[in-house]
Amino acid sequence: MPNIVLFSGSSHHDLSQKVADRLGLDLGKVTTKKFSNQETWRPAAPRGAEDRLNGVGLERDGLPQRCVSVLRVKTALSVEIGESVRGEDVYIVQSGCGEINDNLMELLIMINACKIASSSRVTAVIPCFPYARQDKKDKSRAPISAKLVANMLSVAGADHIITMDLHASQIQGFFDIAVDNLYAEPAVLQWIKENIPEWKNCIIVSPDAGGAKRVTSIADRLNVDFALIHKERKKANEVDRMVLVGDVKDRVAILVDDMADTCGTICFAADKLIEAGALKVYAILTHGIFSGPAISRINNAPFEAVVVTNTIPQEEKMKACPKIQVIDISMILAEAIRRTHNGESVSYLFSHVPLFAPKPPQSSRIEQKSSRISVNTRIPATMSDKPDISEVKEFDKNKLKKTETQEKNPLPTKETIEQEKAAS
């Protein structure tokens, strides 16, 4: 079986290190460089008036438009794998967060670099899948970007994809390679039971109809009721009207969703639940993107806590918002990697949280092993190049067992050979 090599992209190094620690591995050596590439862009003159075609009358910063050039700095990536991966089972951890386009391109380059370096298999571990919300053509001339990302990963050379809580499960069908879509649900259930004392009197709420299946699964596991909120949008990221379906009066409401971006939906939902008589409101999300006014909205919303997983780095956002709490899912990713490498089933992780504790890096384990050998193995102090003859002289030879041995397949004698020839 090939050895396992774990690399980290630049999007979420902390999560990669936690996964490596739980596997007892050191992260592989990889160098990523960004160098600037300058492009000059000259805007085209608007069509219509002849004077504007000549650049007259259209001004910017007091100058005619034809004299204005905008300098845009583009960044290009250079990735160098710092160790041999020939014949190895390679795993690359890169989440779709931060500078998504740069991180996606970095992942593609790393996959291709390992593939052409003769690695046995390359698995992309993408905790938060980029462009997952663009999974269907909901209006004319709209792109299906999730399908495009799937094609790019396959063409780059990925043999396997490990991700978590895809926005739509059908994204797995965009790939022609194996995809393991893990769930944060087991970790969410564990957090609810450990941190919400009134969880037996709670109600699980979906902020939209699309998350009804996710909510009903959690409600069934907790043996509690569920509700959902139907929302109507005027345009993207703006909710026009919300209708609550279910009774939340005098109960603890737990909003559950796969991701939150600007947090307009969950904050409106929290207000709706408080108006309907909910005692407390929690929000549990797998991917906390928290862009734009998200932090200020959460601070002003009636949440007891907003719980997210660490598929996306949350350190800076936790400083700005004390309501944000994080569930560590590194143990789920680490166990998925271990099972994939050993050819074991991953379906156990769909309903259980791995129980193994973090392990020290491989180098420290070797040092501990060598120290245990030196302590437990007692070496005689009189050891020398010459053997101790006294033990040999005192040995009782009568204790040796005598056994009769017979020679197997003996060579025939000369007389036997002559007799066989005469007989033939």
Side-chain angles (χ1 to χ4, degrees), residues 7-13 16 30 32-34 75-79 92-112 124-131 149 152-153 156 311-313 317:
F7 291 108
S8 172
S10 58
S11 65
H12 200 345
H13 189 272
S16 303
V30 58
T32 304
K33 297 179 181 179
K34 291 186 178 182
T75 56
L77 295 171
S78 173
V79 177
I92 304 172
V93 182
Q94 180 82 308
S95 193
C97 57
E99 298 178 354
I100 294 180
N101 294 331
D102 286 353
N103 292 333
L104 175 60
M105 195 66 201
E106 180 182 298
L107 174 61
L108 297 173
I109 296 174
M110 291 178 70
I111 292 172
N112 188 253
V125 182
I126 312 173
C128 182
F129 194 83
Y131 293 96
V149 173
M152 293 166 67
L153 291 168
T311 57
I312 296 175
K317 292 157 188 172

Side-chain angles (χ1 to χ4, degrees), residues 96-98 100 128-133 167 237 258-263 285-292 294-295 298 306 308-309 311-314 317 324:
C97 57
I100 294 180
C128 182
F129 194 83
Y131 293 96
R133 286 177 285 183
H167 187 65
N237 291 333
D258 65 320
M259 67 171 59
D261 189 353
T262 58
C263 294
L285 318 158
T286 303
H287 311 296
I289 301 173
F290 299 146
S291 64
I295 299 299
I298 293 175
V306 176
V308 296
T309 67
T311 57
I312 296 175
Q314 302 293 344
K317 292 157 188 172
I324 296 177

Side-chain angles (χ1 to χ4, degrees), residues 290-306:
F290 299 146
S291 64
I295 299 299
S296 62
R297 286 176 174 174
I298 293 175
N299 285 327
N300 297 326
F303 287 115
E304 294 293 322
V306 176

Side-chain angles (χ1 to χ4, degrees), residues 43-65:
R47 291 175 295 178
E50 294 182 358
D51 57 342
R52 294 198 174 190
L53 286 173
N54 295 324
V56 180
L58 183 63
E59 295 185 353
R60 181 173 178 178
D61 297 333
L63 298 174
Q65 182 69 41

Side-chain angles (χ1 to χ4, degrees), residues 346-419:
V346 182
S347 58
Y348 173 85
L349 299 176
F350 296 162
S351 56
H352 297 83
V353 178
L355 298 177
F356 61 85
K359 298 179 180 179
Q362 191 174 12
S363 57
S364 62
R365 292 212 326 273
I366 294 174
E367 293 172 0
Q368 292 175 0
K369 183 178 179 182
S370 61
S371 64
R372 289 198 301 269
I373 292 174
S374 62
V375 171
N376 297 332
T377 305
R378 296 182 179 180
I379 302 175
T382 58
M383 183 175 180
S384 64
D385 294 337
K386 296 181 180 181
D388 190 357
I389 305 299
S390 61
E391 294 183 0
V392 179
K393 291 180 180 180
E394 295 174 357
F395 180 73
D396 187 5
K397 296 181 180 179
N398 296 325
K399 293 181 179 180
L400 295 175
K401 294 182 180 180
K402 295 182 180 180
T403 57
E404 295 181 0
T405 59
Q406 294 182 354
E407 188 177 359
K408 293 183 179 180
N409 299 326
L411 293 175
T413 61
K414 184 177 181 181
E415 291 78 8
T416 304
I417 295 174
E418 291 178 354
Q419 290 176 2

Side-chain angles (χ1 to χ4, degrees), residues 120-140:
S120 173
R121 178 177 62 179
V122 180
T123 300
V125 182
I126 312 173
C128 182
F129 194 83
Y131 293 96
R133 286 177 285 183
Q134 299 181 28
D135 60 322
K136 58 182 177 294
K137 192 172 182 178
D138 54 355
K139 54 186 177 181
S140 300

